[in-house]
Amino acid sequence: MAGAAVSPSPITSHSFTPPVKPRVMILGGTGRVGASTATALSRLCPSLRLVLAGRNREKGNALASKIGENTEFVQVNVEDIYSIQTAFDGIDLVIHSAGPFQREEKCNVLEAAISTKTAYLDICDDTNYAWKAKGFHEKALSACVPALTTCGIYPGVSNVMAAELVRLAKSEINGEPERLRLVLYQSVYIIG
């Protein structure tokens, strides 16, 4: 099921002009995965305007300040579809990393993305959630909304997290770490 995609109709003769400074929202942006994703995106694409979205305003504002001037925080309740839709105003792409997906009964974020015509990507690895998300295929097609579901954290985003840990280790020890062991299931990071 990993890599299942919901995508718009085949490309037509219409031309697409990307936004000059795209706004990318990372939902769950203050969590382990979202924060690593935001940090990596800010370095790889400094012109992106990043919007970290989550529950904790204090943590979100602190992280946004740390990442840089093109980053802001908005408080979002993923249980409230209206809250999500409101947050998506002016957003070009939402990266859904708020979890855990395993407990989700609804696809609120995907539904909000389709209704607001916001491009969507999630890192879900859970089979049950993936099947629920796949049920929105026709709605996404009809709305011409690209929606990439179950893109996975393993190995995709986990590589981003490992790269960020190596960068932090280099700055702390002023050199190359000898080894990095990243154990995501237990939330243990060992740098030596």
Side-chain angles (χ1 to χ4, degrees), residues 64-125:
S65 294
K66 181 180 172 187
I67 290 175
E69 65 184 47
N70 283 340
T71 307
E72 63 182 285
F73 174 79
V74 296
Q75 196 165 19
V76 176
N77 176 359
V78 295
E79 300 299 319
D80 177 6
I81 199 160
Y82 180 75
S83 169
I84 302 166
Q85 289 170 331
T86 302
F88 285 178
D89 185 38
I91 298 295
D92 299 299
L93 167 68
V94 62
I95 300 172
H96 183 9
S97 68
F101 288 93
Q102 291 81 354
R103 297 183 193 150
E104 292 297 318
E105 294 296 320
K106 299 177 184 172
C107 297
N108 285 349
V109 178
L110 176 56
E111 284 187 73
I114 293 169
S115 72
T116 59
K117 298 191 180 295
T118 305
Y120 172 92
L121 180 144
D122 75 43
I123 55 94
C124 176
D125 280 332

Side-chain angles (χ1 to χ4, degrees), residues 26-72:
I26 302 168
L27 192 58
T30 61
R32 182 180 56 200
V33 174
S36 294
T37 301
T39 300
L41 280 175
S42 72
R43 288 193 174 86
L44 292 171
C45 305
S47 66
L48 285 179
R49 293 179 297 155
L50 296 176
V51 179
L52 306 178
R55 297 176 296 214
N56 187 320
R57 182 172 301 284
E58 186 177 316
K59 189 175 178 183
N61 285 334
L63 181 59
S65 294
K66 181 180 172 187
I67 290 175
E69 65 184 47
N70 283 340
T71 307
E72 63 182 285

Side-chain angles (χ1 to χ4, degrees), residues 103-186:
R103 297 183 193 150
E104 292 297 318
E105 294 296 320
K106 299 177 184 172
C107 297
N108 285 349
V109 178
L110 176 56
E111 284 187 73
I114 293 169
S115 72
T116 59
K117 298 191 180 295
T118 305
Y120 172 92
L121 180 144
D122 75 43
I123 55 94
C124 176
D125 280 332
D126 182 61
T127 304
N128 291 331
Y129 185 86
W131 280 110
K132 289 174 194 163
K134 188 175 179 176
F136 290 90
H137 176 79
E138 291 302 321
K139 285 183 182 179
L141 281 175
S142 295
C144 291
V145 174
L148 300 173
T149 64
T150 61
C151 293
I153 185 171
Y154 311 108
V157 179
S158 61
N159 289 344
V160 172
M161 293 168 63
E164 180 62 11
L165 287 171
V166 168
R167 186 192 67 76
L168 290 171
K170 283 180 179 180
S171 68
E172 287 180 14
I173 63 173
N174 293 323
E176 292 288 326
E178 290 179 29
R179 149 183 97 176
L180 171 69
R181 185 170 38 184
L182 178 62
V183 183
L184 292 169
Y185 291 107
Q186 300 171 357

